[in-house]
Amino acid sequence: WLKHCHYCFNRVSAFSPCIPPKPPLTKMDSLSENQKAKLLKDSAVQDALKKAGSEAFENKDVQNAIIEAAKKNLTVENAQMVAGKVKEWVADPDTQAKARFYAGMAMEQAGTSLNQFVGVIEQGPAGIRLIAFFSSVGSVVVSVMAVIDIRNITQPVKYAISIYQVIFSLTSMLFEAKPEWIAKIPGLDGYQNMLIDYVKALTVVGGRGLFYGFQGLLWLSYVNPHEFLAHLPFIIEGLLLVLVGAFCGFMHFGIMPSQVTAKVRTYVPLPQAA
C-alpha cells in the first residue's frame, strides 16, 4: 500500500496522498480584475505614480511599489508572476488609464501613438450590469407605451417626459455594455465619447446611481392610485430603476465591488505610398 509519489518521489500511502504542485502562473490575465485593482489602489503605488509624473509607468519606483503591493495582497506565486510581468503590464494603455483614474491623475497622457485614450468607465459586477441593462430596456418599452398612448397627447409634459426617458434609457445602456462593443458602432461610439467628455458623472457608479434613481422617480410620478393596474408597468419599472440606483450607491461606498474599464480608440496606420 506504499508507493512513490510521481511529483516529489517520497513514499506515500493511499491514506495520505501527495498533493501535486500547482503550475506556475505566467500571465497577468490569471489575476482577477479585483486583484489587479487592489494593486493599483495601493497607497504606496498611488504616491509613487504622483511623484513620478509624466514618466510614471517607466519609473522603477512605481514598478517596485506594484511588486511590493503584490507581495502584501497576493499569494507568493502570484506575487512572483507580477514581479516578472510588471514592465509588460504597466505598458498596457488600459492599465495606465485605470492607474491614473485610481490615483486621481490627469488622463490625457495615457495611451500610445496608436491608441488614443478616451476615458474610463466604472462598472459593477456582470450580474448587476445585466440587471441595469435590461432595466433600461424595460424603460424604453414603457416609454414607447406612453408615447403611443393617445391619452397622453392631452398631457404634453408627460408626453415630453416619455420621449426624454427613451433617450435617458438608451444612454444608461451604453455605460453598462463593454466599451469595446460600443466602439464598433460609429454613431453610438461618438455619442458615448461625447458623454465621457462632457457628462463625466455617468462614467462613475455614484453618478449613474443618481441618474437611475431620477429615471425611476419620473416613472413613479406617473402613477395614479385610482388607476393602479393601468399604471402597474410604471410602478414596476420605477421601483426597478430605483433598486439599480441603490446598487450603484452601494458600489460607490464600497459595500459592493466595482471595476474600472478603460476606453481606448485604436488607430490603424495607413499604408505608405510606394
Side-chain angles (χ1 to χ4, degrees), residues 186-215:
L188 294 181
D189 182 47
Y191 178 56
Q192 187 182 54
N193 292 348
M194 180 195 71
L195 293 172
I196 290 173
D197 285 337
Y198 296 107
V199 195
K200 292 190 181 295
L202 293 179
T203 66
V204 293
V205 289
R208 262 196 332 280
L210 293 174
F211 190 46
Y212 281 121
F214 172 67
Q215 293 175 66

Side-chain angles (χ1 to χ4, degrees), residues 23-44:
L25 301 174
T26 58
K27 294 182 179 180
M28 288 297 294
D29 290 342
S30 59
L31 298 182
S32 69
E33 289 300 322
N34 285 338
Q35 287 175 315
K36 293 177 186 177
K38 190 174 287 188
L39 298 182
L40 298 177
K41 288 180 179 179
D42 186 86
S43 58

Side-chain angles (χ1 to χ4, degrees), residues 22-36 38-39 66-86 89:
K22 294 181 179 179
L25 301 174
T26 58
K27 294 182 179 180
M28 288 297 294
D29 290 342
S30 59
L31 298 182
S32 69
E33 289 300 322
N34 285 338
Q35 287 175 315
K36 293 177 186 177
K38 190 174 287 188
L39 298 182
I66 292 174
I67 294 171
E68 290 302 316
K71 291 177 181 178
K72 287 191 299 182
N73 296 291
L74 304 178
T75 62
V76 174
E77 294 84 358
N78 284 345
Q80 290 173 346
M81 183 270 296
V82 170
K85 295 290 183 180
V86 65
W89 187 48

Side-chain angles (χ1 to χ4, degrees), residues 86-186:
V86 65
K87 288 184 180 179
E88 179 184 332
W89 187 48
V90 297
D92 179 30
D94 184 77
T95 301
Q96 293 181 14
K98 291 175 181 178
R100 288 179 179 277
F101 174 81
Y102 291 132
M105 297 172 66
M107 297 292 179
E108 289 77 7
Q109 295 170 337
T112 66
S113 59
L114 296 180
N115 296 287
Q116 180 189 4
F117 174 75
V118 179
V120 292
I121 301 172
E122 189 180 16
Q123 297 178 321
I128 300 298
R129 285 165 48 203
L130 201 62
I131 293 172
F133 185 87
F134 282 105
S135 296
S136 295
V137 171
S139 188
V140 171
V141 173
V142 173
S143 299
V144 172
M145 289 170 54
V147 168
I148 64 176
D149 188 344
I150 57 173
R151 292 175 297 178
N152 286 336
I153 296 177
T154 60
Q155 303 179 66
V157 174
K158 282 190 174 182
Y159 196 79
I161 288 174
S162 300
I163 295 174
Y164 274 114
Q165 286 283 65
V166 174
I167 300 171
F168 293 162
S169 302
L170 293 174
T171 298
S172 300
M173 290 162 66
L174 292 180
F175 288 93
E176 301 303 340
K178 290 186 176 181
E180 55 266 31
W181 295 352
I182 303 300
K184 294 177 181 178
I185 308 172

Side-chain angles (χ1 to χ4, degrees), residues 5 8 12 28 40 74 83 102 106 131 136 161 209 214 242 252-253 255 258 260:
C5 173
C8 62
V12 296
M28 288 297 294
L40 298 177
L74 304 178
Y102 291 132
I131 293 172
S136 295
I161 288 174
F214 172 67
V242 169
H252 175 73
F253 290 107
I255 299 172
S258 64
V260 173

